[in-house]
Amino acid sequence: MSVRVRIAPSPTGNLHIGTTRTALFNYLFARHEGGTFVLRVEDTDRERSKSEYTENILTGLKGLGLNWDEGPGAAEPHGPYFQSERQDLYHAALQGLLDQEKIYPCFCTPEELQVERSAAETAGVTYVYSRKCRELDADTVSARIASGDKKVYRLKVRDEEVVFNDLIRGEIRIDASLIGDIIIARGDFNPMYNFAVVLDDIQMQISHVLRGEDHISNTPKQILIYEALGAELPRFGHSAMMLAPDRSKLSKRHGATSVQDYLAMGYLPEALINYLALLGWSPPDTQEIFSLDELVQAFTLERVTKAGAVFDIEKLKWVNTQWMRRLGPEGLWPRIKPLLEAQGFDLSQQPESWWIETVRLVLDKLVVLPDYLHQCDFLMQAALVGKPEDIQKAYALSSAAPVLDAFSAGLETLENWDLPSLQAEFEQLKTALPYKVKDIMWPVRAAITGRVAGADLMQSIVLLGRERSLNRLNQALDQLKVQAQTQE
Ligand code: GLU
């Protein structure tokens, strides 16, 4: 059997990280097995579905590299791939079931059903529809239809056990007598959710339905619909839900839940994919950092875990740092560039190689992309901003003026403006002056970067350049002079 899997998002919100993980598992399974990955848009909920959400979901998945083989914008051999465009197909299938008397119209009013429900509640038993309308004779049915009585269509369910072997959770048994005759369409043949999903999956020849555990209660109902339609069952696999740190269902109140939010915070698409894969799938050995292609190689359903997966932002941050190192300065620069452009920085003032060196300078200090802006602000700003309290702390040291004076004199005459020369100059300063390393470092760092901690100081000075470095040292000296005068 050839593997055909699908992701079936409902466009009622932006691309959720939970949907993305389900899409990823389907994608990985399809690619690992040499199968087909289908995308279908489940937009039957007309009120909540919005085209901008469809757009966000499709571009989001593509941006993460989860390209589908069939669906909107790809091949469409089993189309349409929007449920809203499949109404005729649902109608035809429902008519077939009605002709075969596998479904029947039910005219029970909400009030009548409420009476049944209340009786079940009083008796303390699970409510199941009484099947009152299943026994109506043909004449009664015709008469009630002719008089325009409101109706829905129910499936004639057999009172047996529904058993399926979940690929992730093992055997699952549900007593269909507790499900009863489910409603599968409204009176106008507008299908209910479970019917549309099943017909689509049959017509799109889906071999494996891999989705979140939240759909597990739909599966027995869907199996009953497959049987009524005389179709072969796909294999089902339900992965554990993504949980918040308090083990409740992950929701907006726990923070960002959409892919777009995480990308905007400066997480790399590669890191998001990598992290989502680790959330519910355990790699075969100690390797934790994977590209999408590497995941395709390593992924098997056997290693998808049953236990709920807690979304751990610290782990995501770690994966992001690992991906930054993996991409390196050259790979990261094109990702950082748009952030700078958005802030209005003129990038043409320096050659690209200079910018790449700035990334190298701070690479091991970056957790998310915007950290670069903070780490490198001293290289981009015309006037030094930094942290005023750091500057104050450094300039309060008695070593400040003599250190800056000596260092700036040394730099004036430095022959080559490169790292070895600057390092040699600084070493000489440390030997020549009677101060502790910190008392030398702090004033220089504060004068150059506006902070007392940061990336390699000499390399920072190399990148800042001779003119700007000397200007900053002189400005610092001026400031120290004013400070000394006001203290006199
Ligand atoms: N449209 C459903 C959802 O977004 C998925 C249905 C399915 O995978 O069967 O949760």
Side-chain angles (χ1 to χ4, degrees):
M1 177 178 56
S2 71
V3 165
R4 291 180 55 86
V5 292
R6 79 321 191 256
I7 180 73
S10 302
T12 53
N14 284 336
L15 179 59
H16 191 277
I17 43 176
T19 310
T20 308
R21 191 183 56 150
T22 305
L24 174 63
F25 286 179
N26 277 286
Y27 174 92
L28 296 177
F29 181 60
R31 292 286 173 269
H32 187 89
E33 300 293 328
T36 305
F37 178 46
V38 178
L39 184 134
R40 173 174 78 233
V41 181
E42 303 210 321
D43 58 347
T44 38
D45 184 341
R46 287 303 181 81
E47 265 159 42
R48 292 173 58 222
S49 297
K50 294 209 164 66
S51 59
E52 59 260 38
Y53 292 143
T54 303
E55 179 65 30
N56 179 279
I57 293 168
L58 301 194
T59 47
L61 289 173
K62 266 193 213 142
L64 295 173
L66 303 180
N67 297 309
W68 48 97
D69 309 301
E70 280 178 28
E76 301 205 348
H78 305 285
Y81 289 81
F82 282 84
Q83 285 191 331
S84 58
E85 295 168 17
R86 300 178 60 81
Q87 294 300 323
D88 292 350
L89 298 165
Y90 304 135
H91 285 208
L94 285 162
Q95 187 59 53
L97 289 180
L98 189 61
D99 295 344
Q100 296 170 60
E101 296 182 11
K102 288 186 173 171
I103 61 174
Y104 62 92
C106 169
F107 303 96
C108 290
T109 62
E111 294 73 28
E112 282 173 276
L113 296 176
Q114 191 50 48
V115 171
E116 290 187 359
R117 201 169 283 122
S118 305
E121 238 165 65
T122 316
V125 295
T126 309
Y127 168 65
V128 184
Y129 172 59
S130 66
R131 296 177 168 156
K132 208 157 46 173
C133 293
R134 185 159 163 174
E135 309 308 333
L136 296 179
D137 58 55
D139 291 343
T140 316
V141 169
S142 312
R144 294 194 68 167
I145 290 178
S147 64
D149 283 4
K150 277 192 84 169
K151 61 182 183 306
V152 294
Y153 287 95
R154 288 186 184 269
L155 182 71
K156 291 184 183 169
V157 169
R158 58 179 170 93
D159 281 342
E160 285 167 27
E161 216 173 21
V162 177
V163 184
F164 69 98
N165 210 345
D166 191 283
L167 290 161
I168 296 159
R169 325 189 76 74
E171 190 180 81
I172 296 183
R173 296 175 165 269
I174 302 100
D175 185 355
S177 66
L178 298 176
I179 297 176
D181 289 356
I182 45 176
I183 302 174
I184 65 166
R186 287 178 238 282
D188 59 358
F189 270 175
N190 203 353
M192 302 305 283
Y193 166 77
N194 279 321
F195 184 77
V197 169
V198 169
L199 194 74
D200 292 348
D201 283 343
I202 295 171
Q203 294 181 339
M204 294 176 183
Q205 297 169 13
I206 299 302
S207 63
H208 295 72
V209 172
L210 307 176
R211 58 188 171 196
E213 202 184 6
D214 50 337
H215 284 287
I216 216 160
S217 61
N218 286 325
T219 306
K221 297 176 191 162
Q222 296 186 357
I223 290 175
L224 293 165
I225 299 171
Y226 273 95
E227 287 175 357
L229 289 165
E232 204 183 311
L233 289 182
R235 298 297 309 272
F236 291 96
H238 295 88
S239 57
M241 296 310 284
M242 209 182 268
L243 304 174
D246 63 3
R247 301 198 75 83
S248 64
K249 194 176 166 222
L250 188 71
S251 71
K252 279 221 173 98
R253 84 189 150 86
H254 299 108
T257 51
S258 84
V259 164
Q260 192 180 326
D261 290 341
Y262 283 96
L263 296 177
M265 284 190 267
Y267 290 96
L268 299 165
E270 291 89 340
L272 261 184
I273 283 290
N274 191 156
Y275 177 65
L276 290 177
L278 298 179
L279 208 57
W281 170 77
S282 47
D285 53 41
T286 52
Q287 182 185 350
E288 287 198 282
I289 299 304
F290 292 88
S291 68
L292 192 53
D293 287 344
E294 289 162 349
L295 284 170
V296 167
Q297 295 298 318
F299 185 85
T300 53
L301 281 179
E302 291 76 53
R303 304 199 69 86
V304 173
T305 51
K306 262 194 280 194
V310 174
F311 189 86
D312 175 3
I313 189 79
E314 293 308 318
K315 182 75 188 261
L316 172 59
K317 284 182 185 168
W318 179 79
V319 173
N320 211 46
T321 61
Q322 298 304 304
W323 263 101
M324 295 222 189
R325 317 262 184 295
R326 186 164 165 172
L327 290 175
E330 285 82 5
L332 267 190
W333 169 239
R335 321 282 182 105
I336 290 173
K337 200 173 163 186
L339 300 185
L340 297 181
E341 283 165 344
Q343 303 238 337
F345 287 110
D346 178 7
L347 305 184
S348 67
Q349 303 223 338
Q350 299 281 359
E352 180 153 273
S353 56
W354 183 87
W355 289 105
I356 290 171
E357 286 315 304
T358 68
V359 180
R360 195 183 313 282
L361 175 70
V362 295
L363 187 60
D364 65 359
K365 306 220 173 305
L366 304 180
V367 177
V368 286
L369 291 175
D371 290 343
Y372 171 92
L373 296 172
H374 162 81
Q375 291 289 340
C376 284
D377 59 356
F378 75 97
L379 287 169
M380 297 177 291
Q381 287 159 346
L384 193 61
V385 182
K387 263 165 92 180
E389 63 274 27
D390 273 16
I391 297 177
Q392 214 177 10
K393 193 159 70 176
Y395 292 0
L397 297 170
S398 58
S399 59
V403 164
L404 295 179
D405 212 23
F407 191 50
S408 101
L411 295 196
E412 295 262 12
T413 55
L414 197 70
E415 219 163 292
N416 297 315
W417 194 261
D418 55 27
L419 192 58
S421 312
L422 270 151
Q423 279 168 338
E425 179 61 35
F426 199 61
E427 282 312 307
Q428 212 184 323
L429 193 75
K430 284 199 267 187
T431 334
L433 294 174
Y435 302 116
K436 286 188 290 188
V437 175
K438 184 199 91 177
D439 294 344
I440 298 176
M441 282 300 246
W442 275 20
V444 177
R445 220 181 239 294
I448 297 289
T449 71
R451 294 192 176 84
V452 294
D456 183 81
L457 182 56
M458 290 309 116
Q459 183 59 16
S460 301
I461 298 174
V462 173
L463 289 171
L464 191 60
R466 190 194 297 264
E467 199 187 318
R468 285 203 289 166
S469 299
L470 283 171
N471 276 345
R472 289 203 182 161
L473 293 172
N474 289 332
Q475 269 169 17
L477 281 165
D478 288 347
Q479 201 176 323
L480 282 168
K481 263 187 219 132
V482 176
Q483 196 173 299
Q485 279 160 6
T486 47
Q487 276 164 5
E488 269 165 17

